């Protein structure tokens, strides 16, 4: 059902999504949809959580398999994975981590981008033994917000992301983080 949801969101957007359309696309009875999800928001929340898990798994795999000379190379990898998911993961370009539905879709206490910044801080602290986690988390929250906005701009400008905007986004984020976290 989540795969069907992702495809539908790409085709018709969140506003056009209905549980009836989802049931038809997933080739299940409407009762089966309601057995697992009370409404379309819950379905999209499950998809957003799956996207976040996939993103963090992809990023963890890169952190395990690649050698990064500096911590900001890990940030570049995080941006690269976010861009790759925009290009390849059904539903991601429209939903991202659920902010289209609710900025608190992933966590009631923090907004979606803060959740991502927090998880990224965990990875960076673990991998690079960075000391001031609070300062890093604050800087990452700003960096995630800025990179999210710029990546969305790149994908509004071009189907697969305007490469010039993506290059500038990475340069801006790297410079900002280098100045505030070093």
């Amino acid at each position: 059902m989540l795969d069907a949801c992702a495809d539908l969101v790409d085709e018709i957007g969140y506003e056009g999504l209905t549980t009836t359309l989802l049931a038809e696309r997933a080739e299940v009875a409407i009762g089966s949809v309601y057995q697992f999800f009370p409404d379309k928001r819950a379905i999209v929340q499950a998809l957003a959580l799956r996207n976040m898990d996939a993103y963090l798994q992809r990023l963890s795999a890169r952190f395990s398999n690649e050698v990064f000379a500096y911590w900001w190379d890990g940030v570049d990898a995080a941006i690269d994975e976010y861009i790759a998911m925009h290009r390849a993961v059904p539903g991601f370009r429209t939903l991202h981590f659920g902010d289209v539905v609710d900025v608190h879709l992933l966590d009631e206490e923090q907004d979606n981008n803060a959740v991502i910044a927090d998880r990224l801080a965990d990875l960076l602290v673990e991998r690079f033994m960075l000391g001031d986690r609070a300062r890093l988390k604050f800087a990452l929250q700003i960096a995630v917000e800025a990179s999210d906005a710029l990546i969305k701009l790149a994908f509004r400008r071009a189907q697969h992301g305007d490469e010039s905007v993506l290059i500038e986004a990475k340069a801006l984020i790297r410079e900002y983080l280098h100045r505030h976290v070093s």
Side-chain angles (χ1 to χ4, degrees):
M1 285 187 265
L2 294 180
D3 291 339
C5 179
D7 291 339
L8 282 168
V9 167
D10 275 348
E11 292 170 25
I12 61 175
Y14 174 73
E15 294 303 321
L17 179 68
T18 67
T19 53
T20 302
L21 283 173
L22 176 67
E24 289 172 7
R25 178 63 61 92
E27 299 179 350
V28 299
I30 190 73
S32 295
V33 173
Y34 287 117
Q35 179 181 358
F36 296 102
F37 306 105
D39 54 27
K40 80 174 187 178
R41 183 184 187 281
I43 298 163
V44 171
Q45 183 176 28
L47 182 57
L49 288 169
R50 182 175 83 170
N51 286 343
M52 183 181 68
D53 288 342
Y55 174 73
L56 293 172
Q57 286 176 7
R58 290 168 69 136
L59 197 52
S60 291
R62 282 193 71 172
F63 273 50
S64 295
N65 298 326
E66 293 182 28
V67 175
F68 299 121
Y70 304 101
W71 65 267
W72 53 81
D73 295 329
V75 173
D76 279 350
I79 293 170
D80 289 342
E81 286 303 322
Y82 190 70
I83 292 166
M85 287 183 72
H86 266 76
R87 291 177 174 152
V89 176
F92 190 78
R93 183 173 170 176
T94 303
L95 294 177
H96 309 103
F97 295 116
D99 53 321
V100 171
V101 179
D102 181 350
V103 295
H104 291 277
L105 194 63
L106 300 175
D107 185 301
E108 290 180 14
E109 302 295 318
Q110 300 183 85
D111 67 44
N112 300 334
N113 281 344
V115 171
I116 298 303
D118 196 36
R119 301 284 174 85
L120 184 54
D122 291 342
L123 285 171
L124 291 170
V125 166
E126 179 183 317
R127 174 69 184 267
F128 297 102
M129 308 301 177
L130 299 176
D132 190 349
R133 189 183 188 290
R135 183 177 171 150
L136 174 65
K137 184 179 173 187
F138 177 76
L140 283 172
Q141 284 180 318
I142 291 171
V144 167
E145 289 293 338
S147 61
D148 184 43
L150 290 169
I151 291 168
K152 286 175 183 173
L153 171 65
F155 281 88
R156 283 194 310 270
R157 291 177 57 137
Q159 175 73 22
H160 294 288
D162 182 322
E163 199 60 37
S164 62
V165 174
L166 295 173
I167 289 168
E168 290 301 313
K170 286 177 74 174
L172 182 139
I173 297 307
R174 179 182 278 231
E175 180 60 31
Y176 169 78
L177 288 172
H178 187 66
R179 259 192 4 244
H180 286 81
V181 180
S182 293

